[in-house]
Amino acid sequence: MYKINKILFTIIISGMFYSCEKEVVLNFEEEEQSLAIFSLFSPNDVFNQNFDVEVSTTQSILDNSDFEFLENANVTITSELIGATEEPISEKLSFTKLNNKIVYRTDNTLPKDGYTYMLTVENDGYPTVRAWSHVPAITEIQDLELSEFKKTKQNQLPGNTRYFSNATFKINNKLNIQNHYHLLVWLRFPNGWRSVYIEDDLLQEQLGAKATIINAESSLVFFGAHFDDDNFEDQIQTLNFDIAFSLSESDFPNEIKFELRSVSQDYHNYFVEGYRSSKAGNNPFFVASDNISNNIENGYGVFAGYATNDVIVPFRK
């Protein structure tokens, strides 16, 4: 009798829990799909000096399908010299497949200092999108000095040697102009360039709380120091900071590059706010976020110009 009562009790309790289960339907407010654009352009980028435009679409949070680039869009770049009276020049871009992406690229129109550019993208089923940006004037790195590299066992990985060096240089603050900058440091190996860790505490102290210091270890998308000339106390800003990196015995870099990008407001906002909105770079999908600046009319993403000044010096172990 005891065993029978125990079985009946178990069945009753199980039935009670089962009867309490409810199907919960989560209603997400679906927005109409829009075009998503990604295009950064510069007249003196060592990697690419054309206009490259990636065109895709926004996706629902419930959509697990692969990211898809569009290859049937009409993409046009229109260039106009700032303050000039001549007619703007337009070029329709053709697309090519590049590293599993569809990229629209100019053949004749190249970014230039002093020009403003308009991007127009049309694709059936989506609103036409437009965006505007410009190429800022180049800001040069002046009087770069790099101290002798020192070896240290601090944070040394097995089979690797840790290197430290101090770097100092100056930047000319163009008075009465709001300038934004993106500083990156690279090592050149036989197979290409690799980013270098910037000792962020010293750099943050010099550039102030508004600067965003992002090392490549935390985000390959946003890495570098993003700052503006609000932090300049004088016409010349002197930067003094440490760089650090580890090398295995099989690594033979021969050059180190300091790259200073003078960036448009759109570029600066997109990367700084995008980094913060994507939880410190851990979530790369942020093009449809309302928390970041978006200069794509009727769409999402970024279309932004920048100019870059590189100083390359030999690296010797």
Side-chain angles (χ1 to χ4, degrees), residues 69-214:
F69 294 90
L70 302 182
E71 60 181 50
N72 56 347
N74 291 318
V75 182
T76 304
I77 295 286
T78 303
S79 62
E80 182 176 7
L81 181 62
I82 298 175
T85 57
E86 67 257 25
E87 289 293 321
I89 300 174
S90 295
E91 178 181 348
K92 184 176 179 181
L93 282 62
S94 56
F95 72 86
T96 183
K97 293 187 178 181
L98 185 66
N99 298 328
N100 297 322
K101 296 180 180 180
I102 300 295
V103 177
Y104 292 84
R105 176 170 290 177
T106 54
D107 294 320
N108 303 312
T109 306
L110 301 179
K112 296 180 181 179
D113 292 354
Y115 279 76
T116 183
Y117 296 93
M118 181 178 73
L119 170 73
T120 304
V121 182
E122 299 173 319
N123 195 85
D124 290 341
Y126 300 94
T128 298
V129 303
R130 290 184 176 86
W132 293 263
S133 192
H134 70 285
V135 177
I138 294 175
T139 302
E140 294 184 352
I141 294 174
Q142 303 174 11
D143 303 328
L144 173 66
E145 293 184 5
L146 197 62
S147 66
E148 183 179 351
F149 286 99
K150 298 179 180 179
K151 299 179 182 180
T152 176
K153 292 185 178 180
Q154 181 183 4
N155 301 325
Q156 184 171 326
L157 300 173
N160 286 265
T161 301
R162 190 77 166 169
Y163 289 86
F164 277 86
S165 181
N166 180 258
T168 61
F169 61 84
K170 298 177 181 178
I171 300 174
N172 183 18
N173 176 25
K174 300 178 178 64
L175 298 178
N176 302 320
I177 298 177
Q178 181 67 39
N179 290 301
H180 299 272
Y181 306 99
H182 186 185
L183 173 67
L184 307 99
V185 184
W186 308 83
L187 277 175
R188 185 173 192 171
F189 293 83
N191 61 347
W193 293 96
R194 298 183 202 169
S195 56
V196 173
Y197 179 91
I198 300 176
E199 198 70 14
D200 49 2
D201 290 342
L202 288 175
L203 202 53
Q204 192 82 63
E205 182 179 344
Q206 293 179 67
L207 296 175
K210 289 184 178 180
T212 303
I213 316 299
I214 311 162

Side-chain angles (χ1 to χ4, degrees), residues 243-304:
I243 58 176
F245 46 88
S246 295
L247 295 176
S248 67
E249 292 302 320
S250 60
D251 283 332
F252 296 97
N254 50 32
E255 292 177 325
I256 186 165
K257 177 173 70 174
F258 291 81
E259 178 182 352
L260 180 66
R261 296 184 177 183
S262 302
V263 305
S264 60
Q265 182 78 55
D266 298 314
Y267 182 112
H268 182 78
N269 290 348
Y270 186 83
F271 277 86
V272 171
E273 296 172 17
Y275 172 77
R276 293 170 180 165
S277 298
S278 63
K279 298 180 180 179
N282 293 322
N283 178 10
F285 183 76
F286 59 92
V287 293
S289 171
D290 293 331
N291 298 321
I292 65 171
S293 296
N294 172 47
N295 73 330
I296 308 297
E297 185 181 90
N298 295 327
Y300 293 98
V302 63
F303 174 73

Side-chain angles (χ1 to χ4, degrees), residues 36 54 56-59 64-69 100 285 287:
E54 297 175 14
S56 57
T57 61
T58 57
Q59 291 178 279
N64 294 321
S65 61
D66 293 336
F67 201 62
E68 184 176 355
F69 294 90
N100 297 322
F285 183 76
V287 293

